[in-house]
Amino acid sequence: MDSLTHIVLGAAIGEVLAGRRLGKKALLLGAIAQSLPDIDFVASFWLDTARDVWAHRGITHSFLFLLVMTPLLSWLARRLYPRSGMSRKDWWLFFGLQLFIHIFIDAFNAYGTGWFEPFNHDRIAFHVLFVADPFFSVWPGIAFIALLLLKRTHPARRKWAWAGIVLSSVYLCYCVGNKASVDAHAKAELLRQQIPYTRYLSTPTPLNNWLWYIVAEDSGGYYTGYRSVFDRRPIRFRYQPRNSGLLQPFLRNRDVRYLLRFSRGFYTIEQWGDTTVFNDMRFGEMKGWEDPKARFVFHYFLQYPGGNSVVVQRGRFWGWNRHTLSVFIRRIRGN
């Protein structure tokens, strides 16, 4: 999830676990602990883009990191706050739960999370939430504002904190239901249209959980389409060839090897003029629900690795304007 979500969610959890003993310090410590796995952003200062993309959400989002950091942070907190009334067990629960929730909810995005690093490099990705979903984040966000404003002794503090946590959890369960419904309809539609496939994924489009991007892989490429939970019409699939032959001249490049591992095989290769482009399909297309010729959000220029500094996000909202937003909302509504 985005950094702001981790901050406000961590603060709410901190209030529930330690607010009565630490006061508003629990908000600060919760926000810091919940954000700690994202310390891997510092790697971007010395890693090239392809290695940085692979390293992000790696070892610092693993169960090993949780097991190492929980006792270390607990020891440090006991030294800093010896009169807090928090026992060793209390601190272990505080930091262990914060770190676990961070790496747990990050796995619900498309990016993938290295739970089992460094022993297993597979990335866990459930494709349930867009990386920034305001409908998930708004509840702990409201709770966070209330907790900042209310006095330490106000009796409603824990109720606000619990409300933020519970409502975001209910929304997450709702999103899981949306994915199950979309997958059932999409797979039935693939069968009805007699489209064979070997692998399948679905992932939500930006900032919502109602319009989903569908990918079905066959031996030569992918059938892609969009499905809204409000749709009453068949999915219109279009075919994207993988074009793996265009990748042959670059297979010895180290950055290509990282990209192939990162994409989990969901990639296409395109030729843009004199530039060969590697696309990771899991991040969706630029306004693909509107433009049938849309390019992919994640595109990496193989001949110009230095021009890929914001590769994950640079195409996310490219070309969006008021008209785009209007079309997007209509498409979400099933129109």
mmCIF file of all heavy atoms in Angstrom, residues 5-28:
data_model
loop_
_atom_site.group_PDB
_atom_site.id
_atom_site.type_symbol
_atom_site.label_atom_id
_atom_site.label_comp_id
_atom_site.label_asym_id
_atom_site.label_seq_id
_atom_site.Cartn_x
_atom_site.Cartn_y
_atom_site.Cartn_z
ATOM 1 N N THR A 5 -1.182 5.338 3.826
ATOM 2 C CA THR A 5 -2.045 4.300 4.399
ATOM 3 C C THR A 5 -1.342 3.579 5.532
ATOM 4 O O THR A 5 -1.937 3.323 6.593
ATOM 5 C CB THR A 5 -2.465 3.300 3.309
ATOM 6 O OG1 THR A 5 -3.213 3.989 2.304
ATOM 7 C CG2 THR A 5 -3.306 2.186 3.885
ATOM 8 N N HIS A 6 -0.081 3.235 5.352
ATOM 9 C CA HIS A 6 0.662 2.561 6.411
ATOM 10 C C HIS A 6 0.776 3.454 7.649
ATOM 11 O O HIS A 6 0.683 2.965 8.787
ATOM 12 C CB HIS A 6 2.051 2.168 5.925
ATOM 13 C CG HIS A 6 2.056 1.006 4.977
ATOM 14 N ND1 HIS A 6 1.519 -0.220 5.308
ATOM 15 C CD2 HIS A 6 2.522 0.880 3.709
ATOM 16 C CE1 HIS A 6 1.660 -1.052 4.291
ATOM 17 N NE2 HIS A 6 2.267 -0.412 3.310
ATOM 18 N N ILE A 7 0.951 4.744 7.453
ATOM 19 C CA ILE A 7 1.094 5.664 8.587
ATOM 20 C C ILE A 7 -0.188 5.727 9.406
ATOM 21 O O ILE A 7 -0.175 5.562 10.632
ATOM 22 C CB ILE A 7 1.495 7.060 8.083
ATOM 23 C CG1 ILE A 7 2.944 7.048 7.590
ATOM 24 C CG2 ILE A 7 1.326 8.109 9.191
ATOM 25 C CD1 ILE A 7 3.362 8.317 6.872
ATOM 26 N N VAL A 8 -1.316 5.974 8.746
ATOM 27 C CA VAL A 8 -2.565 6.148 9.494
ATOM 28 C C VAL A 8 -3.051 4.822 10.083
ATOM 29 O O VAL A 8 -3.599 4.792 11.200
ATOM 30 C CB VAL A 8 -3.652 6.805 8.615
ATOM 31 C CG1 VAL A 8 -3.221 8.213 8.209
ATOM 32 C CG2 VAL A 8 -3.985 5.972 7.382
ATOM 33 N N LEU A 9 -2.849 3.727 9.353
ATOM 34 C CA LEU A 9 -3.242 2.421 9.885
ATOM 35 C C LEU A 9 -2.366 2.046 11.066
ATOM 36 O O LEU A 9 -2.857 1.540 12.093
ATOM 37 C CB LEU A 9 -3.154 1.366 8.791
ATOM 38 C CG LEU A 9 -3.626 -0.044 9.162
ATOM 39 C CD1 LEU A 9 -5.086 -0.030 9.599
ATOM 40 C CD2 LEU A 9 -3.440 -0.991 7.979
ATOM 41 N N GLY A 10 -1.071 2.304 10.958
ATOM 42 C CA GLY A 10 -0.162 2.016 12.062
ATOM 43 C C GLY A 10 -0.484 2.829 13.296
ATOM 44 O O GLY A 10 -0.390 2.332 14.428
ATOM 45 N N ALA A 11 -0.879 4.075 13.105
ATOM 46 C CA ALA A 11 -1.254 4.920 14.246
ATOM 47 C C ALA A 11 -2.499 4.383 14.938
ATOM 48 O O ALA A 11 -2.573 4.345 16.173
ATOM 49 C CB ALA A 11 -1.478 6.350 13.770
ATOM 50 N N ALA A 12 -3.497 3.976 14.166
ATOM 51 C CA ALA A 12 -4.726 3.434 14.755
ATOM 52 C C ALA A 12 -4.444 2.153 15.534
ATOM 53 O O ALA A 12 -4.954 1.960 16.653
ATOM 54 C CB ALA A 12 -5.759 3.175 13.661
ATOM 55 N N ILE A 13 -3.637 1.273 14.970
ATOM 56 C CA ILE A 13 -3.277 0.039 15.666
ATOM 57 C C ILE A 13 -2.466 0.359 16.915
ATOM 58 O O ILE A 13 -2.644 -0.269 17.978
ATOM 59 C CB ILE A 13 -2.494 -0.891 14.723
ATOM 60 C CG1 ILE A 13 -3.387 -1.346 13.566
ATOM 61 C CG2 ILE A 13 -1.946 -2.100 15.472
ATOM 62 C CD1 ILE A 13 -2.644 -2.056 12.455
ATOM 63 N N GLY A 14 -1.583 1.344 16.836
ATOM 64 C CA GLY A 14 -0.810 1.760 17.996
ATOM 65 C C GLY A 14 -1.689 2.243 19.134
ATOM 66 O O GLY A 14 -1.444 1.936 20.307
ATOM 67 N N GLU A 15 -2.743 2.979 18.800
ATOM 68 C CA GLU A 15 -3.678 3.448 19.822
ATOM 69 C C GLU A 15 -4.375 2.287 20.505
ATOM 70 O O GLU A 15 -4.520 2.266 21.737
ATOM 71 C CB GLU A 15 -4.714 4.372 19.182
ATOM 72 C CG GLU A 15 -5.845 4.816 20.108
ATOM 73 C CD GLU A 15 -5.366 5.668 21.264
ATOM 74 O OE1 GLU A 15 -4.346 6.377 21.111
ATOM 75 O OE2 GLU A 15 -6.032 5.645 22.325
ATOM 76 N N VAL A 16 -4.811 1.297 19.736
ATOM 77 C CA VAL A 16 -5.496 0.134 20.311
ATOM 78 C C VAL A 16 -4.568 -0.645 21.231
ATOM 79 O O VAL A 16 -4.959 -1.070 22.330
ATOM 80 C CB VAL A 16 -6.042 -0.767 19.192
ATOM 81 C CG1 VAL A 16 -6.494 -2.115 19.745
ATOM 82 C CG2 VAL A 16 -7.200 -0.082 18.484
ATOM 83 N N LEU A 17 -3.318 -0.835 20.811
ATOM 84 C CA LEU A 17 -2.391 -1.677 21.561
ATOM 85 C C LEU A 17 -1.768 -0.984 22.756
ATOM 86 O O LEU A 17 -1.484 -1.640 23.775
ATOM 87 C CB LEU A 17 -1.282 -2.182 20.632
ATOM 88 C CG LEU A 17 -1.693 -3.126 19.511
ATOM 89 C CD1 LEU A 17 -0.489 -3.456 18.633
ATOM 90 C CD2 LEU A 17 -2.303 -4.404 20.062
ATOM 91 N N ALA A 18 -1.539 0.324 22.665
ATOM 92 C CA ALA A 18 -0.737 0.975 23.706
ATOM 93 C C ALA A 18 -1.186 2.388 24.040
ATOM 94 O O ALA A 18 -0.500 3.067 24.807
ATOM 95 C CB ALA A 18 0.726 0.991 23.279
ATOM 96 N N GLY A 19 -2.305 2.843 23.504
ATOM 97 C CA GLY A 19 -2.717 4.225 23.728
ATOM 98 C C GLY A 19 -2.939 4.573 25.179
ATOM 99 O O GLY A 19 -2.609 5.697 25.618
ATOM 100 N N ARG A 20 -3.479 3.667 25.966
ATOM 101 C CA ARG A 20 -3.771 3.959 27.379
ATOM 102 C C ARG A 20 -2.509 4.103 28.213
ATOM 103 O O ARG A 20 -2.518 4.760 29.256
ATOM 104 C CB ARG A 20 -4.660 2.863 27.955
ATOM 105 C CG ARG A 20 -6.078 2.887 27.400
ATOM 106 C CD ARG A 20 -6.905 1.743 27.931
ATOM 107 N NE ARG A 20 -8.287 1.819 27.448
ATOM 108 C CZ ARG A 20 -9.200 0.875 27.642
ATOM 109 N NH1 ARG A 20 -8.871 -0.232 28.300
ATOM 110 N NH2 ARG A 20 -10.433 1.025 27.173
ATOM 111 N N ARG A 21 -1.419 3.482 27.772
ATOM 112 C CA ARG A 21 -0.174 3.558 28.537
ATOM 113 C C ARG A 21 0.812 4.566 27.948
ATOM 114 O O ARG A 21 1.571 5.199 28.686
ATOM 115 C CB ARG A 21 0.466 2.170 28.608
ATOM 116 C CG ARG A 21 -0.232 1.234 29.577
ATOM 117 C CD ARG A 21 0.210 -0.197 29.424
ATOM 118 N NE ARG A 21 -0.314 -0.796 28.198
ATOM 119 C CZ ARG A 21 -0.168 -2.069 27.884
ATOM 120 N NH1 ARG A 21 0.510 -2.880 28.688
ATOM 121 N NH2 ARG A 21 -0.680 -2.555 26.766
ATOM 122 N N LEU A 22 0.814 4.723 26.635
ATOM 123 C CA LEU A 22 1.778 5.622 25.998
ATOM 124 C C LEU A 22 1.175 6.960 25.592
ATOM 125 O O LEU A 22 1.920 7.880 25.221
ATOM 126 C CB LEU A 22 2.370 4.950 24.752
ATOM 127 C CG LEU A 22 3.205 3.687 24.969
ATOM 128 C CD1 LEU A 22 3.661 3.129 23.634
ATOM 129 C CD2 LEU A 22 4.396 3.966 25.863
ATOM 130 N N GLY A 23 -0.156 7.066 25.609
ATOM 131 C CA GLY A 23 -0.779 8.293 25.123
ATOM 132 C C GLY A 23 -0.571 8.440 23.618
ATOM 133 O O GLY A 23 -0.546 7.455 22.880
ATOM 134 N N LYS A 24 -0.370 9.665 23.176
ATOM 135 C CA LYS A 24 -0.238 9.911 21.742
ATOM 136 C C LYS A 24 1.104 9.441 21.185
ATOM 137 O O LYS A 24 1.278 9.397 19.965
ATOM 138 C CB LYS A 24 -0.472 11.385 21.444
ATOM 139 C CG LYS A 24 -1.909 11.829 21.705
ATOM 140 C CD LYS A 24 -2.196 13.220 21.197
ATOM 141 C CE LYS A 24 -3.664 13.585 21.412
ATOM 142 N NZ LYS A 24 -4.004 14.919 20.891
ATOM 143 N N LYS A 25 2.041 9.075 22.065
ATOM 144 C CA LYS A 25 3.281 8.460 21.574
ATOM 145 C C LYS A 25 2.982 7.160 20.826
ATOM 146 O O LYS A 25 3.723 6.754 19.940
ATOM 147 C CB LYS A 25 4.236 8.172 22.728
ATOM 148 C CG LYS A 25 4.841 9.384 23.406
ATOM 149 C CD LYS A 25 5.897 8.941 24.395
ATOM 150 C CE LYS A 25 6.469 10.126 25.178
ATOM 151 N NZ LYS A 25 5.490 10.642 26.171
ATOM 152 N N ALA A 26 1.880 6.497 21.222
ATOM 153 C CA ALA A 26 1.516 5.244 20.555
ATOM 154 C C ALA A 26 1.212 5.474 19.079
ATOM 155 O O ALA A 26 1.466 4.602 18.241
ATOM 156 C CB ALA A 26 0.309 4.624 21.250
ATOM 157 N N LEU A 27 0.656 6.643 18.754
ATOM 158 C CA LEU A 27 0.380 6.962 17.352
ATOM 159 C C LEU A 27 1.683 7.075 16.570
ATOM 160 O O LEU A 27 1.818 6.526 15.476
ATOM 161 C CB LEU A 27 -0.401 8.274 17.239
ATOM 162 C CG LEU A 27 -1.708 8.410 18.008
ATOM 163 C CD1 LEU A 27 -2.351 9.761 17.693
ATOM 164 C CD2 LEU A 27 -2.660 7.287 17.663
ATOM 165 N N LEU A 28 2.635 7.801 17.136
ATOM 166 C CA LEU A 28 3.909 8.014 16.463
ATOM 167 C C LEU A 28 4.673 6.706 16.304
ATOM 168 O O LEU A 28 5.160 6.382 15.207
ATOM 169 C CB LEU A 28 4.750 9.023 17.248
ATOM 170 C CG LEU A 28 6.171 9.279 16.712
ATOM 171 C CD1 LEU A 28 6.106 9.852 15.304
ATOM 172 C CD2 LEU A 28 6.926 10.203 17.641
#
